[in-house]
């Protein structure tokens, strides 16, 4: 491979002659090529025109069955295979997966929420977003992944057995992080239960109880109101 200009040591004569010749642009250097822009699938452009709330600047999870609905609504606009490819590109985009991972509701074509995203879909979106981000950084993102999974587990409303049955895969790394997340869920649950018992036994108000233990009343209130929905 031909080394770049910056990587070639300047000969003694060039050093002696000053920096002008060293930094001079090559005579035959042409204009810089314009930056590459990603080409948008024409069907996605059409979907944006028709449904800007769902295919515009903000991505939201689509309701199930939207492919069939679009074909029924616009039989002359979309070919089946083209629409399938375009929706696949949309659903695999990082921005779309981030919306699913955040636990956003599924929305209809008018941008109205209609149903929650299934826990397994949230879980796998979190894992996919993590893999893409981890591939772009040397930072260990596992702690952030674990925290996202803890929140997803508690929001799922499933027992540990139900959740694992829905999401566990053959990927050992993902399963290991999932086990770590469940360990943290167990610790959180135990902490909440201990605080609840102590509060009930104290006979104090939330403010009095928080002051007695040097805690933030707002945080105590949130913890006492919280009820873990996924049993470890």
């Amino acid at each position: 491979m031909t080394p770049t200009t910056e990587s070639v040591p300047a000969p003694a004569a060039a050093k002696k002659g000053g920096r002008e010749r060293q930094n001079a642009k090559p005579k035959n250097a042409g204009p810089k090529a314009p930056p590459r822009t990603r080409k948008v699938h024409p069907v996605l452009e059409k979907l944006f025109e028709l449904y800007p709330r769902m295919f515009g600047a903000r991505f939201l999870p689509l309701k199930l069955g939207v492919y069939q609905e679009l074909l029924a609504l616009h039989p002359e606009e979309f070919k089946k295979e083209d629409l399938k490819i375009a929706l696949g590109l949309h659903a695999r985009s990082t921005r779309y997966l981030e919306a699913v991972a955040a636990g956003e509701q599924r929305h209809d074509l008018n941008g109205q929420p209609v149903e929650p995203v299934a826990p397994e879909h949230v879980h796998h979106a979190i894992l996919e977003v993590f893999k893409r981000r981890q591939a772009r950084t040397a930072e260990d993102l596992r702690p952030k992944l674990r925290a996202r999974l803890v929140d997803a587990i508690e929001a799922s409303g499933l027992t540990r057995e139900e959740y694992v049955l829905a999401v566990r895969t053959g990927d050992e790394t993902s399963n290991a992080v999932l086990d770590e997340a469940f360990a943290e869920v167990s610790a959180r649950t135990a902490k909440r239960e201990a605080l609840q018992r102590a509060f009930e036994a104290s006979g104090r108000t939330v403010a009095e109880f928080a002051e007695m233990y040097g805690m933030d009343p707002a945080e105590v209130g949130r913890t006492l109101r919280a009820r873990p929905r996924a049993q470890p």
Side-chain angles (χ1 to χ4, degrees):
M1 182 177 69
T2 303
T4 62
T5 303
E6 290 76 11
S7 66
V8 179
K15 291 180 181 177
K16 195 172 181 178
R19 293 182 178 275
E20 288 76 14
R21 291 193 302 273
Q22 193 173 340
N23 295 331
K25 293 182 179 180
K27 292 182 179 180
N28 296 328
K32 289 184 178 180
R36 283 186 173 183
T37 56
R38 183 177 296 178
K39 188 176 181 180
V40 179
H41 195 287
V43 172
L44 288 176
E45 290 184 337
K46 187 63 181 179
L47 287 170
F48 168 68
E49 292 176 14
L50 294 169
Y51 305 104
R53 290 185 180 181
M54 294 307 296
F55 297 93
R58 184 187 178 197
F59 283 17
L60 292 167
L62 290 161
K63 63 174 284 189
L64 299 177
V66 73
Y67 168 73
Q68 291 82 358
E69 184 174 347
L70 284 167
L71 286 177
L73 290 170
H74 308 283
E76 303 300 322
E77 293 280 359
F78 303 122
K79 295 180 179 178
K80 290 183 178 181
E81 192 60 30
D82 290 342
L83 180 60
K84 186 181 295 184
I85 291 171
L87 289 177
L89 291 171
H90 182 73
R92 288 191 297 272
S93 70
T94 300
R95 286 171 60 198
Y96 184 87
L97 290 171
E98 285 172 344
V100 175
E104 296 269 12
Q105 292 260 316
R106 291 194 180 278
H107 290 63
D108 62 21
L109 291 170
N110 296 316
Q112 298 301 311
V114 292
E115 59 188 341
V117 175
E120 59 268 28
H121 295 166
V122 174
H123 179 88
H124 293 305
I126 290 172
L127 289 180
E128 182 59 30
V129 170
F130 159 75
K131 289 176 183 176
R132 295 182 186 186
R133 289 178 177 170
Q134 188 64 83
R136 299 195 301 267
T137 181
E139 178 189 356
D140 182 8
L141 298 180
R142 279 174 59 113
K144 294 179 180 178
L145 169 62
R146 183 169 59 248
R148 293 290 300 274
L149 290 180
V150 168
D151 291 340
I153 290 167
E154 292 194 326
S156 71
L158 302 177
T159 65
R160 175 169 183 161
E161 181 180 10
E162 291 167 340
Y163 193 91
V164 169
L165 186 64
V167 308
R168 192 175 286 276
T169 66
D171 183 72
E172 293 183 3
T173 301
S174 299
N175 291 338
V177 178
L178 178 60
D179 290 339
E180 292 172 8
F182 269 112
E184 190 168 330
V185 169
S186 297
R188 280 191 185 185
T189 302
K191 184 177 179 180
R192 289 191 189 107
E193 291 175 349
L195 187 68
Q196 184 74 41
R197 288 194 298 269
F199 171 70
E200 291 172 353
S202 72
R204 306 292 183 91
T205 66
V206 171
E208 291 170 341
F209 180 81
E211 184 179 0
M212 185 168 58
Y213 287 97
M215 302 171 69
D216 177 24
E219 181 63 29
V220 171
R222 283 193 295 269
T223 303
L224 292 174
R225 287 192 298 270
R227 290 291 183 271
R229 287 172 284 180
Q231 299 300 317

